[in-house]
Amino acid sequence: MTSSSGSSATGPSSYPRSLLLAEVARATQRLADAGVPSPRFDAEELAAYVHGTERPRLHLVADADFDARYWEAIARREAREPLQHITGRAFFRYLELQVGPGVFVPRPETESVVGWAIDAVRAMDVAEPLIVDLCTGSGAIALALAQEVPRSRVHGVELDERALGYARRNAEGSRVVLHHGDALSALPQFGGQVDLVISNPPYIPLTEWEHVAPEARDHDPQLALFSGEDGLDTIRGLERTAHRLLRPGGIVVIEHADTQGGQVPWIFTEDRGWADAADHPDLNNRPRFATARRVNR
């Protein structure tokens, strides 16, 4: 997923100025003034969405075809409504997902979490690995694993019915099996059989509410964001769930906030049946996820 706010030398801004490109420049300034983190990218993405084209082809939109609904979309983004809610889609690794109000929008940083998990499963050399994605939300993680790990058996668990609706639409035609339920008590039928448990759970401390970006705080489901005073309540519960589900030698992968680096591995301790607990950085070299291996105890 691209997240750059600028245009390259071959991007739309390098072409002779058209009406649409002039409006994109104006929109970029409006979004920047509103504090939107990636104003150029978002202005171009919304222009492409409204005009039914792709960002590199914006210069081909004739002046006569300019659609004034573009400014309606810009106004919504200016008010910090998530870009993905306006377009109804989110890109995650090789996937295009349906998203909107009621489901957590997958973030680019989670792509590195999934990349590590894919490499770990491939290294297991298991013919048909059994994978469980807890707190699946839109199904992004589960679907990426199913797509990129051939012959894997992937199950996703989601408590919120509205989010599960998005996951079901996204998973249509895939191998992913979805379950409506609580991640902390999920899938008792798979006890001791799972090769990989992965989760992007809620992990924001309740005390940090006012510091959360408006796109998340005001639009993502609260259930997907906050988890106790220190943000680790759900992860503590998932530690027990993962231990129950994994076979000896199976691996757990848990995303966390970059400010929680060093804290999460200490939840997966040796006396609780874990080995090799460690933190890993994202593409920005910030601590982003913890992993551990279940031992036979």
Side-chain angles (χ1 to χ4, degrees):
M1 181 186 295
T2 303
S3 60
S4 173
S5 59
S7 296
S8 68
T10 59
S13 61
S14 66
Y15 293 102
R17 187 58 58 93
S18 65
L19 173 61
L20 178 55
L21 293 183
E23 299 297 81
V24 166
R26 289 177 55 205
T28 298
Q29 188 59 55
R30 276 181 53 173
L31 296 182
D33 291 344
V36 172
S38 51
R40 167 64 71 174
F41 176 84
D42 289 17
E44 291 178 352
E45 185 71 8
L46 289 172
Y49 167 70
V50 169
H51 293 88
T53 187
E54 299 175 346
R55 289 175 59 233
R57 299 177 64 84
L58 291 176
H59 67 290
L60 297 177
V61 176
D63 290 357
D65 293 332
F66 176 76
D67 192 331
R69 289 178 297 179
Y70 176 56
W71 287 109
E72 297 176 13
I74 290 297
R76 293 170 65 184
R77 187 69 187 102
E78 192 176 23
R80 305 300 292 271
E81 184 176 346
L83 171 69
Q84 297 85 353
H85 283 196
I86 302 170
T87 63
R89 65 190 183 189
F91 299 98
F92 186 83
R93 292 184 69 86
Y94 304 104
L95 301 168
E96 180 175 329
L97 304 167
Q98 294 184 44
V99 296
V103 68
F104 181 80
V105 175
R107 279 21 180 209
E109 52 265 29
T110 305
E111 295 187 15
S112 60
V113 182
V114 173
W116 191 97
I118 289 169
D119 290 342
V121 173
R122 288 172 177 167
M124 290 177 183
D125 196 26
V126 176
E128 296 182 348
L130 179 58
I131 299 170
V132 170
D133 173 24
L134 300 173
C135 310
T136 196
S138 66
I141 291 175
L143 287 162
L145 284 159
Q147 182 184 66
E148 298 181 56
V149 182
R151 300 177 63 84
S152 58
R153 297 168 292 152
V154 184
H155 294 257
V157 179
E158 176 55 48
L159 179 61
D160 186 87
E161 291 188 6
R162 198 173 181 189
L164 187 62
Y166 283 98
R168 285 173 173 155
R169 290 191 289 276
N170 289 323
E172 189 173 348
S174 76
R175 298 196 313 279
V176 173
V177 179
L178 295 168
H179 306 263
H180 180 217
D182 188 336
L184 303 188
S185 57
L187 306 177
Q189 67 271 32
F190 291 148
Q193 303 175 47
V194 178
D195 297 293
L196 178 89
V197 169
I198 186 169
S199 182
N200 179 14
Y203 52 67
I204 300 175
L206 290 170
T207 54
E208 296 295 313
W209 185 90
E210 63 183 20
H211 302 296
V212 177
E215 288 86 349
R217 184 190 64 218
D218 300 337
H219 296 279
D220 279 327
Q222 302 292 293
L223 185 65
L225 297 178
F226 300 101
S227 186
E229 291 299 312
D230 63 357
L232 298 177
D233 284 2
T234 301
I235 292 178
R236 293 187 184 97
L238 291 178
E239 180 270 325
R240 285 294 83 194
T241 303
H243 193 274
R244 170 174 58 82
L245 291 173
L246 288 169
R247 62 168 174 81
I251 293 174
V252 60
V253 183
I254 302 283
E255 182 171 334
H256 58 71
D258 55 7
T259 56
Q260 294 164 335
Q263 299 178 58
V264 176
W266 284 103
I267 295 174
F268 296 84
T269 57
E270 290 185 9
D271 63 331
R272 297 181 71 84
W274 299 98
D276 304 327
D279 250 332
H280 304 266
D282 59 20
L283 295 178
N284 294 315
N285 206 32
R286 297 170 179 162
R288 178 57 57 189
F289 62 100
T291 64
R293 178 172 53 85
R294 187 196 185 282
V295 295
N296 192 17
R297 64 175 66 170

